[in-house]
Amino acid sequence: IHLYQKPPGSEVFEYFLSMNSEAKSIGIPQEVASGTEFMVRQGEWIHSGSGSFANLSLGVVTRTP
């Protein structure tokens, strides 16, 4: 599971951290500004005859108050 953040005023999400899919909660290691958006995406490695790639889900977005 991958977590991305988009600070207020930014146009793009940036990678923030990854966690084990069995995690029940996460601790944000820093304070975040009000209005920061977070996106959670699940990823899975796909291996095929032509190579390997990460298959990422659509993201779920939430915003801090």
Side-chain angles (χ1 to χ4, degrees):
I1 297 175
H2 307 283
L3 183 65
Y4 300 82
Q5 72 173 349
K6 182 169 74 168
S10 177
E11 295 296 320
V12 296
F13 281 94
E14 300 172 351
Y15 172 79
F16 188 65
L17 61 87
S18 292
M19 64 193 107
N20 183 312
S21 63
E22 297 173 5
K24 302 291 184 213
S25 64
I26 61 166
I28 304 297
Q30 64 191 41
E31 292 214 16
V32 295
S34 178
T36 297
E37 291 182 64
F38 287 95
M39 178 173 49
V40 178
R41 298 176 80 182
Q42 182 173 356
E44 169 184 23
W45 280 103
I46 304 294
H47 304 283
S48 70
S50 61
S52 300
F53 63 94
N55 184 20
L56 294 173
S57 70
L58 295 174
V60 175
V61 178
T62 188
R63 180 179 301 187
T64 59

